[in-house]
Amino acid sequence: MYRIVICDDDSEFVDYMYRMILQCGVEVEQLEFYNFSSGEDLVKGLNRLLSCELLVLDMQMNDMDGHATAKLFRQFFPDSILVFCSGVVGPTDESFKVTPYRYLKKSYSDEKMIIELKAVMKKMLENNPAPIVVGKNHKSFVRLYPNDILYIENWKHGSVIHIKKDRIDYPFENKLTTKLKLAELYRELKEYGFEFAHNSYIVNLKYVIKMVSKGVIKLIDGTELNVSRSKLETFRASLTDFLSRKYI
């Protein structure tokens, strides 16, 4: 799934971009669109996005303009494809600091816009950055990549993230919370080696060092977790497959 975010205060242009992007040859089932009408709204919503493969950003908006919005976006998604669009504003020295891939003019003809967007979509498909999970502890936020995470467990308000001890570079315990549900996290992290060991938690197979006994696994930090009977066969198969691919 590729998440495409369009941030523009002109709703008609947002609808127009949807239509143009859908003519660029990528199956609609592969795309998930989000739209924000201001830079402030986009920044507030970044904590709930596991990934953003493409941001189409208006350069000229009220209050927080495109440049200011892009700087904050890059703190969350440094490797994502960023495209500026504008009716009047052109690129500046400030623009290059956030590494945009394209500048699109709103005055382009449909034909020209599709040509440009096809190049953007091709780049997006080639790029495919790893998802980022934003964990929270009190008022602090930490951006986590799949390799930072040992396992994630269910929590009444979302999920609790348990991370590697060598990833701790902040003054609080080695677990964080997110409002994202376990099923949503699994959908995004499965291809990065995560598997359900129990209905209540998913585990990063990279950090499973052994199965201590039938139904018990040991992680790299010494944590032991039970694998439920209903998940045991699938978990064992996923672990075997992961280890075989790891050492190819």
Side-chain angles (χ1 to χ4, degrees):
M1 182 68 68
Y2 297 92
R3 288 184 172 88
I4 298 176
V5 175
I6 303 174
C7 183
D8 197 300
D9 53 12
D10 182 347
S11 60
E12 291 186 3
F13 183 74
V14 172
D15 291 341
Y16 172 75
M17 289 303 291
Y18 285 157
R19 296 196 304 273
M20 294 297 100
I21 289 172
L22 291 175
Q23 295 182 56
C24 292
V26 181
E27 295 293 330
V28 65
E29 293 80 10
Q30 293 184 273
L31 304 177
E32 192 170 281
F33 288 97
Y34 297 80
N35 69 278
F36 298 90
S37 59
S38 70
E40 292 90 343
D41 287 344
L42 170 61
V43 171
K44 289 177 183 177
L46 289 175
N47 289 330
R48 289 196 57 80
L49 285 177
L50 275 169
S51 66
C52 174
E53 282 67 45
L54 169 63
L55 170 63
V56 179
L57 179 61
D58 188 6
M59 294 182 71
Q60 195 171 36
M61 295 180 289
N62 294 327
D63 298 323
M64 187 181 292
D65 66 12
H67 290 133
T69 303
K71 286 180 181 178
L72 292 171
F73 173 79
R74 279 294 184 225
Q75 292 178 19
F76 285 84
F77 300 109
D79 302 319
S80 298
I81 304 301
L82 169 63
V83 171
F84 278 127
C85 59
S86 178
V88 293
V89 179
T92 66
D93 291 342
E94 193 71 13
S95 306
F96 289 101
K97 295 178 182 179
V98 292
T99 58
Y101 180 66
R102 280 283 196 280
Y103 294 85
L104 305 179
K105 294 183 179 180
K106 293 185 177 182
S107 59
Y108 284 161
S109 66
D110 290 358
E111 292 77 14
K112 172 66 173 173
M113 185 65 79
I114 289 174
I115 289 172
E116 292 294 321
L117 286 173
K118 281 185 175 180
V120 170
M121 298 298 282
K122 182 175 183 293
K123 181 68 174 178
M124 181 192 76
L125 296 176
E126 293 171 349
N127 195 41
N128 197 23
I132 294 172
V133 180
V134 178
K136 180 181 180 182
N137 182 280
H138 303 299
K139 295 183 179 179
S140 300
F141 290 93
V142 181
R143 296 167 59 254
L144 302 167
Y145 289 94
N147 284 344
D148 296 325
I149 301 170
L150 290 171
Y151 69 102
I152 306 173
E153 63 177 314
N154 193 37
W155 178 51
K156 62 181 178 179
H157 299 300
S159 305
V160 175
I161 308 165
H162 296 265
I163 64 174
K164 292 176 60 187
K165 291 182 178 179
D166 62 7
R167 178 61 178 85
I168 300 173
D169 50 9
Y170 41 86
F172 45 80
E173 63 266 28
N174 64 328
K175 65 179 181 181
L176 302 161
T177 62
T178 173
K179 292 183 179 180
L180 295 169
K181 297 297 184 182
L182 200 59
E184 185 177 359
L185 289 163
Y186 175 69
R187 188 175 71 239
E188 297 297 326
L189 295 173
K190 179 176 174 58
E191 66 177 287
Y192 295 90
F194 283 73
E195 187 55 73
F196 272 102
H198 192 281
N199 285 336
S200 299
Y201 43 84
I202 58 174
V203 175
N204 189 341
L205 299 174
K206 179 176 182 179
Y207 300 126
V208 177
I209 57 174
K210 63 179 177 179
M211 297 195 77
V212 178
S213 61
K214 186 176 182 181
V216 179
I217 55 173
K218 187 173 183 179
L219 305 184
I220 194 170
D221 69 337
T223 298
E224 292 188 359
L225 298 171
N226 291 318
V227 181
S228 68
R229 185 176 300 176
S230 63
K231 302 292 184 184
L232 186 58
E233 184 176 347
T234 299
F235 185 85
R236 183 183 285 121
S238 295
L239 180 60
T240 300
D241 180 64
F242 179 84
L243 292 174
S244 65
R245 286 185 283 112
K246 180 179 178 180
Y247 294 109
I248 289 177

